[in-house]
Amino acid sequence: MDEPNQVSLLYEGVVLMGFALASVLLFRRLGLGATLGYLLAGAVVGPQMLGLVGDAQGKIDFAELGITFLLFVVGLELNPARLWRMKQDIFGLGLFQVVACGMAITAIIALAHFSPAAALALGLPLALSSTAQVLPMLQSAGRLHTPFGERAFAILLFQDLSLIPMITIIAALSRNPADAHGPSGWLLALYTVVAIAGLIAAGRFLIRPLFRLIGNLGEREMFVVASLFTVTGAAMVMEMLGLSTALGAFVAGVMLADSPYRHELEADVEPFRSILLGLFFLAVGMMLDLNAIAERPLFVIGMAAALIASKTVIIMGIGLLFRMNWRSALALGLLLSQGGEFGFVLFAQASNAHLIDPEAASLFGAIVTLSMATTPFLMMATRRFREAPAAATRNETREGPLEEGANAIVVGYGRFGQTVARMLIASDIPVTLIDNDIEIIDVASKFGDKVYFGDGTRLDLLRQAGAADAELILFCVDGRQLTAEMLQSVHEAFPDTALYVRAFDRRTVIRLHDAPVKRMVREVLESAVKMARVALEDLGVSEEEIDRAEDMYRARDRERLKVQIESGEMLLPSDRAAR
């Protein structure tokens, strides 16, 4: 009975994925980014062109979960201490940007013969930029955790926080009699405080114990389910109170940022975030009103140009006030010059409030989409101008490690990994520790060691732990858990990162001899050699003679190992007694 609906859903999915795949690959190849590819694919398959897929509004309502997941992942990267350190940029730079851009754009719209209320309802949303577009651009460029990236993120975060006051302002201006029965502004503010407090309490007393229980069970599928439950549950609470779902997910992420499960959560949520964000931009492209652009092309293009120019100039000016150099301030202005996805939400609310008509909402939605499409071109066209001389930009964008990133990642924090990690830490080498044993993590935390939960042999988890920027990855787990194929895939994913492997015995060395590792250390060999040296010392043998005996043994051992590897024999007769 439901077969036609299933066929339709399958058909739409295949069409969307096919066009998105082709378009994104093309635009990636041209260096224009994935966002523009998704927007174009959505416009082509949407009702305005080929009409292959419909119900753009229904898809964007669902795909807004992508923004929710994005803010959750961002929250995971910002523990409360780091967030407190950014307070000046968030409530200084962010506040100046929203107020200044909102007032300037409102004035520009008022000149186009809109009423003051309508101009305000349209101008304030246009002050917001696209979190869903800008954050992935910063992440792919490796600039999210630089001073430049943190300032951009601080502005985006305040923009997300300002969604609540904007909803309140539009509700206060509403001409719709039905809105008179809605919650007042102060009540929404109270809801926000209560909801955030509730999410913090739930994170500490419910979610963390839940993840600990699942970690003990060793069920990765349940961890994925729990991750999705955490994000959607936080979003649902905020939605029920009429608040921003993205804000709820962000708070949930911040509360789990300093937990041992941070990297596992990021790795589990990341695929859903990427897919849903892609669907979101596809839906935005489908909603692009080409008829509105065709009927008033000069207005749409002119207003989009005015939006981009005014936001660029204002944000650049604010950046200069906050002591950014002019090149970085210009880059910040261009990066945040577009309209944002929350504009569609606020335009719809303004239309429901009878402040603007549906045609105006559609027209300004086209302006937002057009402005979003220009960002990759603007950033690419001005790259040489903005970044020359390179040294000046590099000095500002890479001054010191703002991320909790590490020079080394130690996988496995058992008896072997603890010794390795502690020696690195004693030498002031930043280290990220990973283990999948909850008991080890709990014991380590009692001694002040922060160990993250997860399977350190997974590429996605290593990537979230910062393997792309690390100098070393030290696999201190039992060598039997490692394979040459796994180590090869890690090397291919992170070619600039040196791999070190703990080999329990010569069997492990033989099995992994083709693996692309820089150094393989046999723990049984080294401990046995150490014991032999101590015994010889106690017998009165000279240091020189002990060194000669060790060198002789190591040379013979290397020769035997070479013969074993070439012959494929795991053990020679002389090795069977003791390994």
Side-chain angles (χ1 to χ4, degrees):
M1 183 173 63
D2 295 331
E3 186 176 349
N5 291 334
Q6 293 174 356
V7 171
S8 175
L9 183 61
L10 183 61
Y11 166 78
E12 289 188 346
V14 171
V15 170
L16 285 172
M17 287 188 290
F19 274 84
L21 184 63
S23 185
V24 170
L25 286 175
L26 173 63
F27 278 83
R28 282 285 195 186
R29 184 80 173 178
L30 297 174
L32 299 176
T35 301
L36 197 55
Y38 283 121
L39 290 172
L40 179 63
V44 170
V45 303
Q48 301 291 322
M49 293 187 70
L50 299 181
L52 298 176
V53 179
D55 190 22
Q57 185 61 54
K59 289 177 177 57
I60 202 169
D61 289 342
F62 175 74
E64 282 179 356
L65 276 174
I67 303 171
T68 301
F69 279 92
L70 175 64
L71 266 293
F72 177 73
V73 171
V74 170
L76 285 173
E77 297 181 1
L78 286 172
N79 60 46
R82 186 177 172 203
L83 197 58
W84 179 254
R85 180 172 58 78
M86 293 174 59
K87 63 183 183 298
Q88 182 176 352
D89 283 339
I90 296 172
F91 296 102
L93 196 61
L95 176 62
F96 273 114
Q97 184 275 321
V98 171
V99 173
C101 290
M103 292 300 98
I105 298 168
T106 296
I108 293 172
I109 295 173
L111 294 176
H113 308 294
F114 283 86
S115 69
L120 191 64
L122 292 167
L124 290 180
L126 290 176
L128 307 182
S129 306
S130 176
T131 301
Q133 182 178 27
V134 173
L135 283 187
M137 289 177 68
L138 288 171
Q139 288 174 329
S140 63
R143 302 182 73 184
L144 182 58
H145 299 292
T146 64
F148 175 84
E150 286 206 339
R151 285 195 170 108
F153 174 73
I155 292 175
L156 291 170
L157 179 56
F158 187 85
Q159 289 178 357
D160 291 336
L161 294 174
S162 67
L163 183 64
I164 309 298
M166 288 186 186
I167 290 174
T168 304
I169 290 171
I170 293 175
L173 295 173
S174 177
R175 297 168 184 164
N176 190 338
D179 289 341
H181 304 292
S184 60
W186 70 266
L187 194 55
L188 280 176
L190 179 62
Y191 285 168
T192 302
V193 173
V194 172
I196 291 176
L199 288 175
I200 293 173
R204 180 170 297 276
F205 299 110
L206 294 178
I207 302 301
R208 290 196 187 195
L210 174 64
F211 284 131
R212 187 180 186 281
L213 174 62
I214 295 173
N216 280 323
L217 294 175
E219 296 286 344
R220 181 168 180 258
E221 294 78 7
M222 292 303 298
F223 211 100
V224 174
V225 172
S227 302
L228 298 179
F229 170 77
T230 300
V231 182
T232 55
M236 182 200 70
V237 169
M238 301 301 265
E239 184 180 56
M240 290 175 63
L241 297 175
L243 305 174
S244 167
T245 57
L247 177 60
F250 175 77
V251 172
V254 171
M255 289 306 101
L256 293 169
D258 61 349
S259 75
Y261 314 105
R262 167 188 160 187
H263 295 308
E264 181 76 19
L265 286 166
E266 286 180 304
D268 290 340
V269 168
E270 181 64 24
F272 298 95
R273 179 200 70 83
S274 301
I275 294 170
L276 288 170
L277 270 184
L279 180 58
F280 174 83
F281 285 117
L282 281 170
V284 169
M286 291 170 61
M287 293 180 66
L288 183 62
D289 194 340
L290 300 179
N291 291 329
I293 297 175
E295 291 174 3
R296 304 181 64 182
L298 295 179
F299 177 82
V300 172
I301 295 173
M303 189 60 72
L307 170 66
I308 293 167
S310 60
K311 290 182 75 171
T312 299
V313 170
I314 291 171
I315 295 173
M316 179 181 178
I318 294 172
L320 293 174
L321 287 176
F322 277 73
R323 299 181 181 179
M324 296 178 70
N325 70 50
W326 72 268
R327 296 181 190 278
S328 293
L330 173 61
L332 186 66
L334 290 169
L335 184 67
L336 301 175
S337 63
Q338 75 290 124
E341 52 278 350
F342 288 128
F344 299 102
V345 177
L346 292 168
F347 293 157
Q349 187 190 7
S351 178
N352 292 334
H354 298 173
L355 296 175
I356 59 175
D357 56 39
E359 289 74 18
S362 179
L363 196 65
F364 276 86
I367 291 168
V368 169
T369 305
L370 185 60
S371 71
M372 293 170 72
T374 63
T375 302
F377 290 106
L378 288 172
M379 297 303 291
M380 191 171 70
T382 61
R383 180 178 299 156
R384 181 176 299 180
F385 174 68
R386 288 183 291 104
E387 294 183 356
T393 302
R394 195 161 49 241
N395 286 340
E396 171 148 344
T397 58
R398 300 195 182 276
E399 54 178 30
L402 295 178
E403 190 181 6
E404 293 181 357
N407 290 30
I409 297 175
V410 175
V411 178
Y413 200 61
R415 54 185 174 83
F416 191 95
Q418 289 177 30
T419 301
V420 172
R422 289 183 184 280
M423 289 190 67
L424 291 172
I425 294 170
S427 300
D428 295 325
I429 303 297
V431 177
T432 294
L433 308 173
I434 300 174
D435 203 291
N436 59 2
D437 189 321
I438 292 294
E439 185 176 351
I440 287 178
I441 294 173
D442 289 343
V443 172
S445 66
K446 294 177 181 178
F447 292 92
D449 296 332
K450 185 58 172 291
V451 183
Y452 292 101
F453 174 83
D455 179 0
T457 63
R458 284 170 44 198
L459 285 180
D460 55 348
L461 190 137
L462 287 173
R463 186 173 287 108
Q464 297 299 339
D469 299 319
E471 296 181 39
L472 314 171
I473 301 178
L474 301 103
F475 290 98
C476 299
V477 295
D478 189 331
R480 287 167 292 190
Q481 300 179 36
L482 306 177
T483 64
E485 293 77 11
M486 186 278 292
L487 293 169
Q488 180 65 41
S489 65
V490 173
H491 173 69
E492 291 174 356
F494 315 110
D496 298 327
T497 304
L499 306 183
Y500 292 74
V501 170
R502 162 200 173 189
F504 179 72
D505 55 18
R506 64 195 308 108
R507 292 174 183 267
T508 306
V509 176
I510 295 170
R511 187 165 50 81
L512 300 179
H513 75 278
D514 286 332
V517 300
K518 185 170 184 179
R519 191 68 61 84
M520 199 178 313
V521 178
R522 289 161 56 191
E523 66 170 303
V524 173
L525 171 67
E526 299 303 324
S527 58
V529 168
K530 178 64 177 176
M531 186 173 183
R533 289 187 65 96
V534 171
L536 290 172
E537 287 176 5
D538 290 345
L539 290 173
V541 180
S542 68
E543 187 75 19
E544 181 180 349
E545 182 64 22
I546 293 175
D547 290 340
R548 187 192 66 79
E550 180 179 346
D551 291 342
M552 182 184 300
Y553 170 75
R554 288 186 183 275
R556 294 173 64 182
D557 183 71
R558 283 193 297 269
E559 184 62 30
R560 288 200 303 270
L561 192 60
K562 180 180 178 182
V563 171
Q564 285 179 268
I565 292 173
E566 290 175 351
S567 66
E569 294 287 340
M570 291 300 290
L571 290 175
L572 292 175
S574 59
D575 299 317
R576 296 188 187 279
R579 290 179 267 136

